Amino acid sequence: METCEVLVVGGGPAGSTLAGKLVQAGLDVLLLDSQTFPRQKPCAGWITPEVFEALALDAEEYRRERVLQDISSFRTGLMNGKTVVTRYGRTVSYGIRRCEFDEYLLQRCRVRQSLGEPVTMLERKDGWWIVNRRIRTRLLVGAGGHFCPVARQLGATLGREEVVAAQVAEFAMSPEEERICNTPADTPALFFCRDMKGYGWLFRKGRYLNIGLGRMDAHNLARHAGEFCTFLSRNGYLASDISVRLQGHAYRVFQGRGGRRRVGDGALLIGDAAGVAHPLSGEGILPAIESALMAADVILAANGDYRRDNLESYAARLANRCCGGSVKDLTSPVLSGIVRFIGARLLSSSRFTRHIVLDRWFLHTNAKADYSS
Ligand SMILES: Cc1cc2nc3c(=O)[nH]c(=O)nc-3n(C[C@H](O)[C@H](O)[C@H](O)COP(=O)(O)OP(=O)(O)OC[C@H]3O[C@@H](n4cnc5c(N)ncnc54)[C@H](O)[C@@H]3O)c2cc1C
């Protein structure tokens, strides 16, 4: 039987961030992922500069061998409505490709890893977790995304939770398609659904195009996504002969003290497994990294005693957290309903778009997180 102090299930941004911090502190960590890297992850790949700050990553070093698209403007509007272009005159966000980004983070964290190995079996015995009948660990960290087996072990009721349901495609454009594409690479386009339950995006990263649609309502998602692609072609955003194969995925947004149970005896959840994505933008990469950093602090402070009481402060920190900006005010269904109602009426206003939609909902310029521990 292989033994480790901490076993991390999942090598996405949450898992690799946590593993890196614990390895640096001298803990014996093993990370398992069902896939081998590089792997595809359905995602738009939009990140804010806070991601680089939180990970102490050098953007220039990263871009030397990978796609890092600078974003300085956004086109926004209601689908089939008037659009507004908001220019910042500086880089306010980036576009990355998840197949590159996640592999880079995983390599950099220097953790002992077993890739291509799904966690299929979890048993609790004498204070240990026995994983896949071959590994035993004191602490089990669920970083396996929305369908993480550790989340299920802690009681997540998959299928009955409120989720963001999304479909996305990312592909390399041919030189001819690149020539026709009228979306500037530094200006991604966001088109909100008329009911404000979600939005579609068209996002160019160098020669790669990323198209997708996410909604807080999984009903008829394929139809909404199909209509979005038709809207893009009809309005010249997409060459009409491009056939887009969309891939679906779901995840939970942050719901304050509600949502999934995130801590158990010898176990905790981070990232999408814990349901921490931003409630209005659906941004999940930064919250996944932030949750991993908070979990690392609490794990190290527990000093080897991983009883639930010693891990509970992580759940409390998550509930009070800034997700690159405060999200507490947005987790009330009534308030977010009002925000959506007003938002749909004001999306053609350039002031509202800049100060509320972009600065507050997407870029969180209203509140900066502190990453020092
Ligand atoms: C269509 C779409 C677009 C999105 N766009 C954005 C965006 O532009 N910006 C943004 O910030 N967020 C975006 N998100 C959200 C973002 O992708 C997630 O919040 C983020 O990936 C969470 O990271 P994570 O490390 O928690 O999980 P993941 O990145 O999902 O990683 C989980 C890992 O666990 C592994 N795993 C799963 N099950 C098992 C198992 N049984 N055993 C072992 N390993 C397992 C998986 O292989 C995977 O590698 C988007 C999401 C979707 C669906």
Side-chain angles (χ1 to χ4, degrees):
M1 183 95 35
E2 193 175 347
T3 301
C4 59
E5 168 109 3
V6 182
L7 186 126
V8 181
V9 181
S16 58
T17 301
L18 177 79
K21 282 278 162 193
L22 300 185
V23 167
Q24 262 175 26
L27 264 61
D28 174 25
V29 185
L30 173 64
L31 182 147
L32 253 60
D33 199 293
S34 51
Q35 301 202 44
T36 54
F37 285 59
R39 57 112 173 78
Q40 294 298 335
K41 160 74 183 82
C43 189
W46 158 71
I47 55 172
T48 44
E50 284 74 24
V51 166
F52 282 91
E53 199 185 314
L55 292 172
L57 276 187
D58 178 351
E60 295 318 310
E61 198 267 329
Y62 181 85
R63 85 164 84 230
R64 234 171 270 146
E65 291 175 23
R66 294 155 208 94
V67 173
L68 184 65
Q69 177 64 57
D70 293 312
I71 296 169
S72 54
S73 312
F74 293 88
R75 177 182 292 279
T76 51
L78 276 181
M79 239 176 261
N80 290 309
K82 187 184 156 215
T83 62
V84 172
V85 176
T86 308
R87 297 183 204 284
Y88 286 88
R90 62 192 156 82
T91 300
V92 289
S93 283
Y94 297 99
I96 46 99
R97 301 193 68 222
R98 289 296 297 271
C99 51
E100 295 175 348
F101 185 71
D102 290 19
E103 185 189 32
Y104 176 79
L105 296 186
L106 190 55
Q107 276 178 357
R108 164 184 193 263
C109 78
R110 300 188 186 287
V111 67
R112 177 157 62 106
Q113 44 192 267
S114 173
L115 301 181
E117 178 176 1
V119 168
T120 53
M121 185 82 72
L122 293 172
E123 295 161 79
R124 186 89 172 129
K125 236 182 199 170
D126 306 327
W128 292 88
W129 287 100
I130 312 295
V131 179
N132 289 353
R133 296 216 169 106
R134 69 162 204 88
I135 307 162
R136 58 178 203 159
T137 183
R138 287 286 181 203
L139 177 65
L140 186 62
V141 177
H146 180 65
F147 300 100
C148 181
V150 186
R152 246 175 285 155
Q153 187 76 28
L154 292 188
T157 48
L158 298 180
R160 277 187 279 145
E161 299 172 319
E162 198 188 353
V163 292
V164 175
Q167 290 198 344
V168 66
E170 182 166 292
F171 53 90
M173 290 183 283
S174 67
E176 178 59 8
E177 286 163 352
E178 262 193 274
R179 199 181 57 75
I180 298 169
C181 182
N182 63 5
T183 294
D186 63 356
T187 311
L190 306 174
F191 299 100
F192 290 82
C193 302
R194 294 225 153 240
D195 62 6
M196 291 295 279
K197 284 190 176 175
Y199 62 90
W201 63 87
L202 179 69
F203 188 4
R204 186 173 176 179
K205 300 174 255 188
R207 66 191 190 93
Y208 295 92
L209 198 60
N210 186 298
I211 298 168
L213 178 118
R215 284 178 57 81
M216 279 303 293
D217 170 7
H219 248 76
N220 293 324
L221 179 68
R223 178 172 62 76
H224 284 286
E227 285 171 3
F228 177 55
C229 289
T230 308
F231 156 78
L232 291 177
S233 326
R234 282 217 183 113
N235 289 278
Y237 292 109
L238 198 60
S240 52
D241 57 348
I242 289 187
S243 76
V244 180
R245 282 175 69 95
L246 297 160
Q247 206 189 345
H249 196 64
Y251 61 111
R252 287 190 66 123
V253 295
F254 188 66
Q255 291 179 322
R257 287 185 190 277
R260 289 183 171 176
R261 191 179 134 210
R262 291 160 181 140
V263 171
D265 253 338
L268 57 77
L269 304 178
I270 56 175
D272 274 5
V276 293
H278 194 280
L280 284 180
S281 65
E283 174 188 17
I285 299 171
L286 179 63
I289 291 165
E290 287 181 333
S291 67
L293 294 174
M294 285 180 220
D297 280 352
V298 171
I299 291 168
L300 292 173
N303 210 8
D305 181 353
Y306 303 124
R307 277 173 298 177
R308 182 175 176 171
D309 281 355
N310 287 345
L311 302 176
E312 206 61 71
S313 64
Y314 163 67
R317 278 182 73 175
L318 259 191
N320 291 319
R321 90 191 205 283
C322 305
C323 148
S326 174
V327 296
K328 275 182 284 175
D329 54 339
L330 298 174
T331 56
S332 135
V334 176
L335 201 58
S336 57
I338 294 169
V339 167
R340 290 198 164 95
F341 180 79
I342 298 171
R345 273 139 197 88
L346 293 179
L347 268 177
S348 55
S349 143
S350 39
R351 270 180 79 85
F352 178 80
T353 300
R354 177 184 288 266
H355 297 299
I356 303 295
V357 178
L358 294 172
D359 286 355
R360 277 183 166 265
W361 298 357
F362 281 79
L363 301 174
H364 323 301
T365 49
N366 53 319
K368 293 283 175 209
D370 177 7
Y371 298 113
S372 54
S373 50

Coordinates of all heavy atoms in Angstrom, one line a residue, residues 251-328:
Y251 N -21.1 23.4 -13.5 CA -20.4 23.6 -12.2 C -21.3 24.5 -11.4 O -22.2 25.2 -11.9 CB -19.0 24.2 -12.4 CG -18.9 25.5 -13.2 CD1 -18.5 26.7 -12.5 CD2 -19.2 25.6 -14.5 CE1 -18.4 27.9 -13.2 CE2 -19.1 26.8 -15.2 CZ -18.7 27.9 -14.5 OH -18.6 29.1 -15.2
R252 N -20.9 24.6 -10.1 CA -21.8 25.4 -9.2 C -21.1 26.7 -8.9 O -19.9 26.9 -8.9 CB -21.8 24.7 -7.8 CG -22.7 23.5 -7.8 CD -22.8 23.0 -6.3 NE -23.5 24.1 -5.6 CZ -24.6 23.8 -4.9 NH1 -25.1 22.6 -4.9 NH2 -25.3 24.8 -4.3
V253 N -22.0 27.7 -8.7 CA -21.4 29.0 -8.3 C -21.5 29.1 -6.7 O -22.2 28.4 -6.1 CB -22.1 30.2 -8.9 CG1 -21.9 30.2 -10.4 CG2 -23.6 30.3 -8.6
F254 N -20.8 30.1 -6.2 CA -20.7 30.3 -4.8 C -22.0 30.7 -4.2 O -22.7 31.6 -4.7 CB -19.6 31.4 -4.5 CG -19.3 31.5 -3.1 CD1 -18.6 30.5 -2.4 CD2 -19.6 32.7 -2.4 CE1 -18.3 30.7 -1.1 CE2 -19.2 32.9 -1.1 CZ -18.6 31.8 -0.4
Q255 N -22.4 30.0 -3.1 CA -23.6 30.4 -2.4 C -23.4 30.6 -0.9 O -24.1 30.1 -0.1 CB -24.6 29.2 -2.6 CG -25.1 29.1 -4.0 CD -26.0 28.0 -4.3 OE1 -25.9 26.9 -3.7 NE2 -27.0 28.2 -5.1
G256 N -22.4 31.4 -0.6 CA -22.1 31.7 0.8 C -22.1 30.5 1.7 O -21.4 29.5 1.4
R257 N -22.8 30.5 2.8 CA -22.8 29.4 3.7 C -23.6 28.2 3.2 O -23.6 27.2 3.8 CB -23.3 29.9 5.1 CG -22.3 30.7 5.8 CD -22.6 31.1 7.2 NE -21.7 32.1 7.7 CZ -20.5 31.9 8.2 NH1 -20.1 30.6 8.3 NH2 -19.7 32.8 8.6
G258 N -24.4 28.5 2.2 CA -25.2 27.4 1.6 C -24.3 26.5 0.7 O -23.1 26.6 0.8
G259 N -24.9 25.7 -0.1 CA -24.1 25.0 -1.0 C -23.5 23.7 -0.4 O -24.1 23.2 0.6
R260 N -22.5 23.2 -1.0 CA -21.9 21.9 -0.5 C -21.3 21.9 0.8 O -20.7 23.0 1.2 CB -20.9 21.4 -1.6 CG -21.5 21.0 -2.9 CD -20.5 20.5 -3.8 NE -21.2 19.9 -5.0 CZ -20.5 19.4 -6.0 NH1 -19.2 19.4 -6.1 NH2 -21.2 18.9 -7.0
R261 N -21.3 20.8 1.5 CA -20.5 20.6 2.7 C -19.0 20.5 2.3 O -18.7 19.7 1.5 CB -20.9 19.4 3.5 CG -20.4 19.3 4.8 CD -20.9 18.0 5.5 NE -19.8 17.3 6.1 CZ -19.7 16.0 6.3 NH1 -20.7 15.2 5.8 NH2 -18.7 15.5 6.9
R262 N -18.2 21.4 2.8 CA -16.8 21.5 2.2 C -15.8 20.8 3.1 O -14.6 20.7 2.7 CB -16.5 22.9 2.0 CG -17.3 23.5 0.8 CD -17.4 25.0 0.9 NE -18.2 25.5 -0.2 CZ -19.1 26.5 -0.1 NH1 -19.2 27.1 1.0 NH2 -19.8 26.8 -1.1
V263 N -16.2 20.5 4.3 CA -15.2 19.9 5.2 C -15.8 18.7 5.9 O -16.9 18.6 6.3 CB -14.8 21.0 6.3 CG1 -14.0 20.4 7.4 CG2 -14.1 22.1 5.6
G264 N -14.9 17.6 6.1 CA -15.3 16.5 6.9 C -14.1 16.0 7.7 O -13.1 16.6 7.6
D265 N -14.3 14.9 8.4 CA -13.1 14.4 9.1 C -12.1 13.9 8.1 O -12.3 13.0 7.3 CB -13.6 13.2 10.0 CG -13.6 13.5 11.4 OD1 -13.0 14.5 11.8 OD2 -14.4 12.8 12.2
G266 N -10.9 14.5 8.1 CA -9.8 14.1 7.2 C -10.1 14.4 5.8 O -9.5 13.8 4.9
A267 N -11.0 15.4 5.5 CA -11.3 15.6 4.1 C -11.8 17.1 3.9 O -12.4 17.6 4.8 CB -12.5 14.7 3.6
L268 N -11.4 17.6 2.8 CA -12.0 18.9 2.4 C -12.0 19.1 0.9 O -11.3 18.4 0.2 CB -11.3 20.1 3.1 CG -9.8 20.4 3.0 CD1 -9.5 21.0 1.7 CD2 -9.4 21.3 4.1
L269 N -12.8 20.1 0.5 CA -13.0 20.3 -1.0 C -12.5 21.7 -1.4 O -12.7 22.6 -0.6 CB -14.5 20.3 -1.3 CG -15.3 19.0 -0.9 CD1 -16.8 19.2 -1.3 CD2 -14.8 17.8 -1.7
I270 N -11.9 21.8 -2.6 CA -11.5 23.1 -3.1 C -12.0 23.2 -4.5 O -12.3 22.2 -5.2 CB -10.0 23.2 -3.0 CG1 -9.2 22.1 -3.7 CG2 -9.5 23.3 -1.5 CD1 -7.7 22.3 -3.7
G271 N -11.9 24.4 -5.0 CA -12.3 24.7 -6.4 C -13.7 24.3 -6.8 O -14.6 24.4 -5.9
D272 N -13.9 23.9 -8.0 CA -15.3 23.5 -8.4 C -15.9 22.4 -7.6 O -17.1 22.3 -7.4 CB -15.3 23.0 -9.9 CG -15.4 24.2 -10.9 OD1 -15.4 25.3 -10.4 OD2 -15.5 23.9 -12.1
A273 N -15.1 21.6 -7.0 CA -15.6 20.5 -6.1 C -16.4 21.1 -4.9 O -17.4 20.6 -4.5 CB -14.5 19.6 -5.6
A274 N -15.9 22.3 -4.5 CA -16.5 23.0 -3.4 C -17.6 24.0 -3.8 O -18.3 24.5 -3.0 CB -15.4 23.8 -2.6
G275 N -17.7 24.2 -5.1 CA -18.7 25.2 -5.7 C -18.4 26.6 -5.3 O -19.1 27.2 -4.5
V276 N -17.3 27.2 -5.9 CA -16.9 28.5 -5.4 C -16.8 29.5 -6.6 O -16.3 30.6 -6.4 CB -15.5 28.4 -4.8 CG1 -15.6 27.7 -3.4 CG2 -14.4 27.8 -5.7
A277 N -17.4 29.2 -7.7 CA -17.2 30.1 -8.9 C -18.1 31.4 -8.6 O -19.0 31.4 -7.8 CB -17.7 29.5 -10.2
H278 N -17.7 32.5 -9.3 CA -18.3 33.8 -9.1 C -19.8 33.7 -9.6 O -20.1 33.3 -10.7 CB -17.6 34.9 -9.9 CG -17.9 36.2 -9.5 ND1 -19.1 36.8 -9.9 CD2 -17.4 37.1 -8.6 CE1 -19.2 38.0 -9.4 NE2 -18.1 38.2 -8.6
P279 N -20.7 34.2 -8.7 CA -22.1 34.0 -9.0 C -22.6 34.8 -10.3 O -23.6 34.4 -10.9 CB -22.9 34.5 -7.8 CG -21.9 35.1 -7.0 CD -20.5 34.7 -7.4
L280 N -22.0 35.9 -10.6 CA -22.5 36.6 -11.8 C -21.7 36.3 -13.1 O -22.3 36.2 -14.2 CB -22.6 38.1 -11.5 CG -23.8 38.5 -10.6 CD1 -23.7 40.0 -10.4 CD2 -25.1 38.1 -11.2
S281 N -20.4 36.3 -13.0 CA -19.6 36.1 -14.2 C -19.4 34.6 -14.5 O -19.1 34.3 -15.6 CB -18.3 36.8 -14.0 OG -17.5 36.1 -13.0
G282 N -19.5 33.8 -13.5 CA -19.2 32.3 -13.7 C -17.7 32.1 -13.7 O -17.3 30.9 -13.9
E283 N -16.9 33.1 -13.4 CA -15.4 32.9 -13.3 C -15.1 31.9 -12.2 O -15.6 32.0 -11.1 CB -14.8 34.3 -12.9 CG -13.3 34.2 -12.7 CD -12.8 35.5 -12.1 OE1 -13.6 36.3 -11.7 OE2 -11.5 35.7 -12.2
G284 N -14.3 30.9 -12.6 CA -14.0 29.8 -11.6 C -12.6 29.6 -11.3 O -12.2 28.9 -10.4
I285 N -11.7 30.0 -12.2 CA -10.3 29.7 -12.1 C -9.7 30.5 -10.9 O -9.1 29.8 -10.0 CB -9.5 30.1 -13.4 CG1 -10.0 29.2 -14.6 CG2 -8.0 29.8 -13.2 CD1 -9.5 29.6 -15.9
L286 N -9.9 31.8 -10.8 CA -9.4 32.5 -9.6 C -10.0 32.0 -8.3 O -9.2 31.8 -7.4 CB -9.6 34.0 -9.8 CG -9.2 34.9 -8.7 CD1 -7.6 34.8 -8.5 CD2 -9.6 36.4 -8.9
P287 N -11.3 31.8 -8.2 CA -11.9 31.3 -7.0 C -11.3 29.9 -6.6 O -11.1 29.6 -5.5 CB -13.4 31.2 -7.2 CG -13.6 32.2 -8.3 CD -12.4 32.2 -9.2
A288 N -11.0 29.1 -7.7 CA -10.4 27.8 -7.4 C -9.0 27.9 -6.8 O -8.7 27.3 -5.8 CB -10.3 27.0 -8.7
I289 N -8.3 28.9 -7.3 CA -6.9 29.1 -6.8 C -7.0 29.7 -5.4 O -6.3 29.3 -4.5 CB -6.1 30.0 -7.7 CG1 -5.9 29.3 -9.1 CG2 -4.9 30.5 -7.1 CD1 -5.4 30.1 -10.2
E290 N -7.9 30.6 -5.2 CA -8.0 31.3 -3.9 C -8.4 30.2 -2.8 O -7.9 30.2 -1.7 CB -9.1 32.4 -3.9 CG -8.6 33.6 -4.7 CD -9.6 34.7 -4.7 OE1 -10.8 34.4 -4.6 OE2 -9.2 35.9 -4.7
S291 N -9.4 29.4 -3.2 CA -9.8 28.4 -2.2 C -8.7 27.4 -1.9 O -8.5 27.0 -0.7 CB -11.0 27.6 -2.7 OG -10.7 26.8 -3.8
A292 N -7.8 27.1 -2.8 CA -6.7 26.2 -2.6 C -5.7 26.9 -1.6 O -5.1 26.3 -0.7 CB -6.0 25.9 -3.9
L293 N -5.5 28.2 -1.8 CA -4.5 28.9 -0.9 C -5.1 29.0 0.5 O -4.3 28.8 1.4 CB -4.3 30.4 -1.5 CG -3.6 30.4 -2.8 CD1 -3.5 31.9 -3.4 CD2 -2.2 29.9 -2.8
M294 N -6.4 29.2 0.6 CA -7.0 29.2 2.0 C -6.9 27.8 2.6 O -6.6 27.7 3.8 CB -8.5 29.6 1.9 CG -8.7 31.0 1.6 SD -10.5 31.3 1.6 CE -10.6 32.4 0.3
A295 N -7.1 26.8 1.8 CA -7.1 25.4 2.3 C -5.7 25.1 2.8 O -5.5 24.5 3.8 CB -7.6 24.5 1.3
A296 N -4.7 25.5 2.0 CA -3.3 25.2 2.3 C -2.9 25.8 3.7 O -2.3 25.2 4.6 CB -2.3 25.8 1.3
D297 N -3.4 27.1 4.0 CA -3.1 27.7 5.3 C -3.7 26.9 6.4 O -3.0 26.6 7.4 CB -3.8 29.1 5.3 CG -3.0 30.1 4.6 OD1 -1.8 29.8 4.2 OD2 -3.5 31.3 4.4
V298 N -4.9 26.4 6.2 CA -5.6 25.7 7.3 C -5.0 24.3 7.5 O -4.8 23.9 8.6 CB -7.2 25.6 6.9 CG1 -7.9 24.7 7.9 CG2 -7.8 27.0 7.0
I299 N -4.6 23.7 6.4 CA -4.0 22.3 6.5 C -2.7 22.4 7.2 O -2.4 21.6 8.1 CB -3.8 21.7 5.1 CG1 -5.2 21.4 4.5 CG2 -3.0 20.5 5.1 CD1 -5.1 21.1 3.0
L300 N -1.9 23.4 6.9 CA -0.6 23.6 7.6 C -0.8 23.9 9.0 O -0.1 23.4 9.9 CB 0.3 24.6 6.9 CG 0.7 24.2 5.4 CD1 1.4 25.4 4.7 CD2 1.6 23.0 5.5
A301 N -1.8 24.7 9.3 CA -2.0 25.1 10.7 C -2.5 23.9 11.5 O -2.3 23.8 12.7 CB -3.0 26.2 10.8
A302 N -3.2 22.9 10.9 CA -3.7 21.7 11.6 C -2.6 20.8 12.1 O -2.8 20.0 12.9 CB -4.7 21.0 10.7
N303 N -1.4 21.0 11.5 CA -0.2 20.3 12.0 C -0.4 18.8 12.1 O 0.0 18.2 13.1 CB 0.2 20.9 13.3 CG 1.6 20.9 13.6 OD1 2.4 20.5 12.6 ND2 2.1 21.2 14.8
G304 N -1.0 18.2 11.1 CA -1.1 16.7 11.1 C -2.4 16.2 11.8 O -2.7 15.0 11.6
D305 N -3.1 17.0 12.5 CA -4.4 16.5 13.1 C -5.6 17.0 12.3 O -6.0 18.2 12.4 CB -4.4 17.1 14.5 CG -5.7 16.6 15.2 OD1 -6.6 16.0 14.6 OD2 -5.8 16.9 16.5
Y306 N -6.0 16.2 11.4 CA -7.0 16.6 10.4 C -8.5 16.3 10.8 O -9.3 16.1 9.9 CB -6.7 16.0 9.0 CG -5.3 16.3 8.6 CD1 -4.4 15.3 8.2 CD2 -4.8 17.6 8.5 CE1 -3.1 15.6 7.8 CE2 -3.5 17.9 8.1 CZ -2.7 16.9 7.7 OH -1.4 17.2 7.3
R307 N -8.7 16.3 12.1 CA -10.1 16.1 12.5 C -10.9 17.3 12.0 O -10.4 18.4 11.8 CB -10.2 16.0 14.0 CG -10.0 14.5 14.4 CD -9.9 14.5 15.9 NE -8.8 15.3 16.4 CZ -8.6 15.4 17.7 NH1 -9.3 14.8 18.6 NH2 -7.6 16.2 18.1
R308 N -12.2 17.1 11.8 CA -13.1 18.1 11.2 C -13.0 19.4 11.9 O -12.9 20.5 11.2 CB -14.5 17.6 11.2 CG -15.5 18.5 10.5 CD -16.9 18.0 10.5 NE -17.8 19.0 9.9 CZ -19.0 18.8 9.5 NH1 -19.5 17.6 9.6 NH2 -19.7 19.7 9.0
D309 N -13.0 19.4 13.2 CA -12.9 20.7 14.0 C -11.7 21.5 13.6 O -11.8 22.8 13.5 CB -12.8 20.4 15.5 CG -14.2 20.0 16.0 OD1 -15.1 20.1 15.3 OD2 -14.2 19.7 17.2
N310 N -10.6 20.9 13.2 CA -9.4 21.6 12.9 C -9.4 22.1 11.5 O -8.6 23.0 11.1 CB -8.2 20.7 13.1 CG -7.8 20.5 14.5 OD1 -8.3 21.2 15.4 ND2 -7.0 19.5 14.8
L311 N -10.3 21.6 10.7 CA -10.4 22.1 9.3 C -11.5 23.1 9.1 O -11.6 23.7 8.0 CB -10.6 20.9 8.3 CG -9.5 19.8 8.4 CD1 -9.8 18.6 7.5 CD2 -8.1 20.4 8.0
E312 N -12.4 23.1 10.1 CA -13.7 23.9 9.9 C -13.4 25.4 9.6 O -14.2 26.0 8.9 CB -14.5 23.8 11.2 CG -16.0 24.0 11.1 CD -16.6 22.9 10.1 OE1 -16.7 21.7 10.5 OE2 -17.1 23.3 9.1
S313 N -12.3 25.9 10.0 CA -12.0 27.4 9.8 C -11.9 27.6 8.3 O -12.1 28.7 7.8 CB -10.8 27.8 10.5 OG -9.7 27.2 10.0
Y314 N -11.5 26.6 7.5 CA -11.5 26.8 6.0 C -12.9 27.1 5.5 O -13.0 28.0 4.7 CB -10.9 25.5 5.4 CG -11.2 25.4 3.9 CD1 -10.6 26.3 3.0 CD2 -12.0 24.4 3.4 CE1 -10.8 26.2 1.6 CE2 -12.3 24.3 2.0 CZ -11.7 25.2 1.2 OH -11.9 25.2 -0.2
A315 N -13.9 26.3 6.0 CA -15.2 26.6 5.5 C -15.7 28.0 5.8 O -16.3 28.7 5.0 CB -16.2 25.5 6.1
A316 N -15.3 28.4 7.1 CA -15.7 29.8 7.5 C -15.0 30.8 6.6 O -15.6 31.8 6.2 CB -15.3 29.9 9.0
R317 N -13.7 30.6 6.3 CA -12.9 31.6 5.5 C -13.5 31.6 4.1 O -13.6 32.7 3.5 CB -11.5 31.2 5.4 CG -10.7 31.6 6.7 CD -9.2 31.2 6.5 NE -8.5 32.1 5.6 CZ -7.2 32.0 5.4 NH1 -6.5 31.2 6.1 NH2 -6.6 32.8 4.5
L318 N -13.9 30.5 3.6 CA -14.6 30.5 2.3 C -15.8 31.3 2.3 O -16.1 32.1 1.4 CB -14.9 29.1 1.9 CG -14.0 28.3 0.9 CD1 -14.7 27.0 0.5 CD2 -13.6 29.1 -0.3
A319 N -16.6 31.1 3.3 CA -17.9 31.8 3.4 C -17.7 33.3 3.5 O -18.6 34.1 3.0 CB -18.7 31.3 4.6
N320 N -16.6 33.8 4.0 CA -16.4 35.2 4.2 C -15.5 35.8 3.1 O -15.0 36.9 3.2 CB -15.7 35.5 5.5 CG -16.7 35.2 6.6 OD1 -17.8 35.6 6.6 ND2 -16.2 34.6 7.7
R321 N -15.2 34.9 2.1 CA -14.1 35.3 1.3 C -14.4 36.4 0.3 O -15.5 36.7 0.0 CB -13.6 34.0 0.5 CG -14.3 33.9 -0.8 CD -14.0 32.5 -1.3 NE -14.1 32.5 -2.7 CZ -15.2 32.4 -3.4 NH1 -16.3 32.4 -2.7 NH2 -15.2 32.4 -4.7
C322 N -13.3 37.0 -0.2 CA -13.4 37.8 -1.4 C -13.0 36.9 -2.6 O -12.0 36.3 -2.5 CB -12.4 38.9 -1.4 SG -12.4 39.9 0.1
C323 N -13.8 36.9 -3.6 CA -13.5 36.1 -4.7 C -12.9 37.1 -5.7 O -13.5 37.4 -6.8 CB -14.8 35.5 -5.2 SG -15.1 35.1 -6.8
G324 N -11.7 37.6 -5.4 CA -11.1 38.7 -6.2 C -12.0 39.9 -6.2 O -12.1 40.7 -7.1
G325 N -12.8 40.0 -5.1 CA -13.8 41.1 -5.0 C -14.9 40.4 -4.2 O -15.1 39.2 -4.3
S326 N -15.7 41.2 -3.5 CA -16.7 40.6 -2.6 C -17.8 40.1 -3.4 O -18.3 40.7 -4.3 CB -17.2 41.7 -1.6 OG -18.2 41.2 -0.9
V327 N -18.2 38.8 -3.0 CA -19.3 38.2 -3.7 C -20.5 38.0 -2.8 O -21.6 37.6 -3.2 CB -19.0 36.9 -4.4 CG1 -18.0 37.0 -5.4 CG2 -18.6 35.9 -3.3
K328 N -20.3 38.4 -1.5 CA -21.3 38.1 -0.5 C -22.6 38.7 -0.9 O -23.7 38.1 -0.7 CB -20.9 38.6 0.9 CG -20.0 37.5 1.6 CD -19.6 38.0 3.0 CE -18.5 39.1 2.8 NZ -18.2 39.7 4.1

